Short mmCIF file of all heavy atoms in Angstrom, two decimals:
data_model
loop_
_atom_site.label_atom_id
_atom_site.label_comp_id
_atom_site.label_asym_id
_atom_site.label_seq_id
_atom_site.Cartn_x
_atom_site.Cartn_y
_atom_site.Cartn_z
N LEU A 1610 -39.17 15.02 -24.58
CA LEU A 1610 -38.79 16.22 -25.34
C LEU A 1610 -39.13 16.07 -26.82
O LEU A 1610 -39.71 16.94 -27.43
CB LEU A 1610 -37.30 16.49 -25.16
CG LEU A 1610 -36.76 17.69 -25.92
CD1 LEU A 1610 -37.43 18.97 -25.46
CD2 LEU A 1610 -35.25 17.79 -25.76
N ILE B 1110 -29.21 16.64 -21.62
CA ILE B 1110 -29.46 17.86 -20.85
C ILE B 1110 -30.93 17.90 -20.41
O ILE B 1110 -31.27 18.35 -19.33
CB ILE B 1110 -29.10 19.11 -21.67
CG1 ILE B 1110 -27.62 19.04 -22.10
CG2 ILE B 1110 -29.34 20.38 -20.87
CD1 ILE B 1110 -27.17 20.19 -22.97
N LEU B 1114 -35.26 17.37 -16.64
CA LEU B 1114 -36.42 18.25 -16.85
C LEU B 1114 -37.62 17.46 -17.35
O LEU B 1114 -38.76 17.72 -16.97
CB LEU B 1114 -36.05 19.34 -17.86
CG LEU B 1114 -34.76 20.10 -17.52
CD1 LEU B 1114 -34.39 21.05 -18.65
CD2 LEU B 1114 -34.92 20.85 -16.22
N LEU B 1119 -41.76 19.03 -17.02
CA LEU B 1119 -41.87 20.40 -17.53
C LEU B 1119 -42.40 20.41 -18.96
O LEU B 1119 -42.32 19.41 -19.67
CB LEU B 1119 -40.51 21.10 -17.48
CG LEU B 1119 -39.85 21.22 -16.11
CD1 LEU B 1119 -38.59 22.06 -16.21
CD2 LEU B 1119 -40.81 21.83 -15.10
N ALA B 1120 -42.91 21.59 -19.37
CA ALA B 1120 -43.42 21.71 -20.74
C ALA B 1120 -42.26 21.71 -21.74
O ALA B 1120 -41.15 22.15 -21.41
CB ALA B 1120 -44.21 23.01 -20.88
N ARG B 1121 -42.51 21.22 -22.96
CA ARG B 1121 -41.45 21.12 -23.96
C ARG B 1121 -40.77 22.45 -24.24
O ARG B 1121 -39.55 22.51 -24.38
CB ARG B 1121 -42.01 20.57 -25.27
CG ARG B 1121 -42.29 19.11 -25.20
CD ARG B 1121 -42.36 18.47 -26.57
NE ARG B 1121 -42.75 17.09 -26.36
CZ ARG B 1121 -44.01 16.69 -26.26
NH1 ARG B 1121 -44.98 17.52 -26.42
NH2 ARG B 1121 -44.27 15.41 -26.04
N GLU B 1122 -41.57 23.51 -24.32
CA GLU B 1122 -40.99 24.82 -24.64
C GLU B 1122 -39.99 25.24 -23.57
O GLU B 1122 -38.90 25.70 -23.86
CB GLU B 1122 -42.11 25.87 -24.79
CG GLU B 1122 -42.62 25.97 -26.20
CD GLU B 1122 -41.51 25.80 -27.23
OE1 GLU B 1122 -40.59 26.65 -27.22
OE2 GLU B 1122 -41.52 24.82 -28.01
N GLU B 1123 -40.40 25.02 -22.32
CA GLU B 1123 -39.53 25.36 -21.18
C GLU B 1123 -38.23 24.54 -21.26
O GLU B 1123 -37.14 25.06 -21.08
CB GLU B 1123 -40.30 25.07 -19.89
CG GLU B 1123 -39.48 25.12 -18.61
CD GLU B 1123 -39.07 26.54 -18.22
OE1 GLU B 1123 -39.59 27.49 -18.84
OE2 GLU B 1123 -38.23 26.69 -17.31
N ILE B 1124 -38.37 23.24 -21.55
CA ILE B 1124 -37.19 22.38 -21.62
C ILE B 1124 -36.25 22.88 -22.71
O ILE B 1124 -35.05 23.02 -22.50
CB ILE B 1124 -37.59 20.91 -21.88
CG1 ILE B 1124 -38.41 20.38 -20.70
CG2 ILE B 1124 -36.36 20.05 -22.10
CD1 ILE B 1124 -38.87 18.94 -20.86
N ARG B 1125 -36.82 23.19 -23.87
CA ARG B 1125 -35.98 23.65 -24.99
C ARG B 1125 -35.22 24.92 -24.62
O ARG B 1125 -34.04 25.05 -24.91
CB ARG B 1125 -36.82 23.88 -26.24
CG ARG B 1125 -37.26 22.59 -26.86
CD ARG B 1125 -37.49 22.67 -28.36
NE ARG B 1125 -37.98 21.37 -28.78
CZ ARG B 1125 -39.27 21.03 -28.78
NH1 ARG B 1125 -40.19 21.92 -28.45
NH2 ARG B 1125 -39.64 19.82 -29.14
N SER B 1126 -35.92 25.84 -23.96
CA SER B 1126 -35.24 27.09 -23.66
C SER B 1126 -34.16 26.85 -22.60
O SER B 1126 -33.09 27.44 -22.65
CB SER B 1126 -36.24 28.18 -23.26
OG SER B 1126 -36.40 28.19 -21.87
N ARG B 1127 -34.41 25.94 -21.67
CA ARG B 1127 -33.38 25.66 -20.67
C ARG B 1127 -32.15 24.98 -21.28
O ARG B 1127 -31.03 25.20 -20.84
CB ARG B 1127 -33.94 24.79 -19.55
CG ARG B 1127 -34.85 25.56 -18.61
CD ARG B 1127 -34.77 24.95 -17.24
NE ARG B 1127 -35.90 25.29 -16.42
CZ ARG B 1127 -36.07 24.81 -15.19
NH1 ARG B 1127 -35.21 23.96 -14.69
NH2 ARG B 1127 -37.12 25.16 -14.48
N ILE B 1128 -32.38 24.10 -22.27
CA ILE B 1128 -31.24 23.45 -22.94
C ILE B 1128 -30.35 24.52 -23.55
O ILE B 1128 -29.13 24.53 -23.34
CB ILE B 1128 -31.73 22.48 -24.03
CG1 ILE B 1128 -32.43 21.27 -23.41
CG2 ILE B 1128 -30.55 22.01 -24.88
CD1 ILE B 1128 -33.04 20.34 -24.44
N GLN B 1129 -30.97 25.45 -24.29
CA GLN B 1129 -30.19 26.50 -24.94
C GLN B 1129 -29.44 27.32 -23.91
O GLN B 1129 -28.25 27.61 -24.06
CB GLN B 1129 -31.13 27.43 -25.75
CG GLN B 1129 -31.68 26.80 -27.01
CD GLN B 1129 -30.59 26.32 -27.96
OE1 GLN B 1129 -29.50 26.89 -28.00
NE2 GLN B 1129 -30.85 25.27 -28.71
N HIS B 1130 -30.14 27.69 -22.86
CA HIS B 1130 -29.56 28.55 -21.84
C HIS B 1130 -28.38 27.87 -21.14
O HIS B 1130 -27.31 28.45 -20.97
CB HIS B 1130 -30.65 28.93 -20.84
CG HIS B 1130 -30.18 29.87 -19.79
ND1 HIS B 1130 -29.90 29.48 -18.51
CD2 HIS B 1130 -29.90 31.19 -19.86
CE1 HIS B 1130 -29.47 30.52 -17.82
NE2 HIS B 1130 -29.47 31.58 -18.60
N THR B 1131 -28.56 26.59 -20.78
CA THR B 1131 -27.50 25.88 -20.08
C THR B 1131 -26.30 25.65 -20.99
O THR B 1131 -25.15 25.78 -20.56
CB THR B 1131 -28.02 24.51 -19.57
OG1 THR B 1131 -29.29 24.69 -18.98
CG2 THR B 1131 -27.07 23.91 -18.57
N ALA B 1132 -26.58 25.32 -22.25
CA ALA B 1132 -25.48 25.10 -23.19
C ALA B 1132 -24.68 26.38 -23.36
O ALA B 1132 -23.44 26.35 -23.42
CB ALA B 1132 -26.03 24.62 -24.53
N ALA B 1133 -25.38 27.51 -23.39
CA ALA B 1133 -24.67 28.78 -23.54
C ALA B 1133 -23.81 29.05 -22.30
O ALA B 1133 -22.66 29.48 -22.40
CB ALA B 1133 -25.67 29.91 -23.75
N LEU B 1141 -24.55 20.45 -29.10
CA LEU B 1141 -25.98 20.10 -29.16
C LEU B 1141 -26.25 19.28 -30.42
O LEU B 1141 -25.79 19.62 -31.51
CB LEU B 1141 -26.83 21.36 -29.15
CG LEU B 1141 -26.80 22.17 -27.85
CD1 LEU B 1141 -27.65 23.42 -27.98
CD2 LEU B 1141 -27.28 21.32 -26.68
N ALA B 1163 -29.18 22.18 -15.66
CA ALA B 1163 -30.44 22.54 -16.29
C ALA B 1163 -31.59 22.47 -15.30
O ALA B 1163 -32.61 23.14 -15.46
CB ALA B 1163 -30.71 21.63 -17.48
N ARG B 1165 -31.53 23.67 -12.51
CA ARG B 1165 -31.40 24.91 -11.71
C ARG B 1165 -31.25 24.65 -10.22
O ARG B 1165 -32.00 25.20 -9.40
CB ARG B 1165 -32.61 25.82 -11.95
CG ARG B 1165 -32.85 26.12 -13.41
CD ARG B 1165 -32.96 27.59 -13.64
NE ARG B 1165 -32.86 27.87 -15.07
CZ ARG B 1165 -33.83 28.39 -15.81
NH1 ARG B 1165 -34.99 28.70 -15.25
NH2 ARG B 1165 -33.64 28.62 -17.08
#
Side-chain angles (χ1 to χ4, degrees):
Chain A
L1610 179 62
Chain B
I1110 302 177
L1114 308 174
L1119 301 186
R1121 285 200 185 87
E1122 271 323 298
E1123 170 72 10
I1124 296 180
R1125 286 208 184 88
S1126 92
R1127 285 210 200 177
I1128 291 175
Q1129 288 302 330
H1130 183 257
T1131 315
L1141 293 178
R1165 306 232 166 116

